[in-house]
Amino acid sequence: FGRLPLSEVLEPAAQYAEKGQAVTKNLSEMMNVFSGRLKEALSGAPECEEWFKCFMPEGRAPMPGEIYKNPDQAKTLREIGRTNAESFYKGDIADKIAAYSEKFGGYITKADLENYEPTWVEPVSVNYRGYDVWELPPNGQGIVALMALNILNNFGPSRNDAESFHREIEAIKLAFAD
């Protein structure tokens, strides 16, 4: 719904990918756990080699504070921006996606990407403490945030304490349950 060109919107992310970003302790720990589970579950399946090259270039999860760079992601983001996403659906990126899918027995074809058409929907909103909060309706999880905010509207403002955190967690749990 914005007015900026896609190339301009994607450029900050491309710069982070190119120049790098310090890895947080939490991200490092999560990547360690996830990569271990992935290695165990797939027992070195060749289709995962690229994931490990991309996200674990040193053969391990990046350490906290280490600068993680992903120059290939920067290149891809810039191509998507430069072509206004045409490359993703009909160009070089689409060719690479389809070839990778075929190589490893996947189901995505170049025709699938070429024939994709987004479905435009009207956003939905709730007013939370004087602010209109907008989300796209299902099939995403944005509706959960709006439902949780509606529940929380029945209580006083959050006080950054255990009771408030508990109330917010319970509101989110109820919204997800619905």
Side-chain angles (χ1 to χ4, degrees):
F1 305 109
R3 294 182 293 273
L4 297 174
L6 189 56
S7 59
E8 190 174 334
V9 171
L10 292 177
E11 185 54 30
Q15 287 184 24
Y16 275 117
E18 182 177 70
K19 295 176 183 173
Q21 173 69 23
V23 174
T24 65
K25 180 178 184 280
N26 188 39
L27 178 61
S28 177
E29 289 171 355
M30 288 185 339
M31 287 196 60
N32 253 326
V33 169
F34 179 74
S35 63
R37 289 179 183 166
L38 191 60
K39 282 180 186 175
E40 183 180 306
L42 299 174
S43 301
E47 63 269 23
C48 294
E49 288 176 18
E50 288 300 317
W51 187 91
F52 284 102
K53 277 192 233 173
C54 178
F55 295 107
M56 306 183 88
E58 304 293 326
R60 56 167 175 74
M63 302 298 291
E66 192 173 341
I67 302 297
Y68 170 76
K69 297 178 183 180
N70 191 332
D72 288 336
Q73 183 183 31
K75 180 181 168 190
T76 299
L77 289 169
R78 287 187 175 120
E79 184 171 342
I80 290 170
R82 183 180 52 76
T83 65
N84 201 31
E86 284 294 310
S87 181
F88 187 90
Y89 297 102
K90 298 178 178 163
D92 187 50
I93 296 172
D95 291 336
K96 290 176 182 176
I97 291 169
Y100 192 86
S101 179
E102 182 179 350
K103 179 178 177 180
F104 293 107
Y107 298 102
I108 297 176
T109 67
K110 178 84 182 268
D112 292 330
L113 295 165
E114 289 173 340
N115 293 323
Y116 174 77
E117 290 187 29
T119 303
W120 289 99
V121 295
E122 289 296 317
V124 292
S125 70
V126 298
N127 186 281
Y128 180 73
R129 305 200 190 289
Y131 294 94
D132 290 326
V133 180
W134 295 86
E135 294 280 357
L136 294 177
N139 58 355
Q141 294 180 355
I143 196 76
V144 172
L146 299 182
M147 292 168 68
L149 289 174
N150 268 340
I151 293 168
L152 293 168
N153 258 335
N154 295 302
F155 299 94
S158 177
R159 295 184 311 272
N160 201 24
D161 61 7
E163 184 179 332
S164 295
F165 291 140
H166 178 72
R167 187 172 32 247
E168 292 162 4
I169 291 166
E170 291 301 319
I172 293 168
K173 284 170 50 180
L174 286 170
F176 269 115
D178 266 3

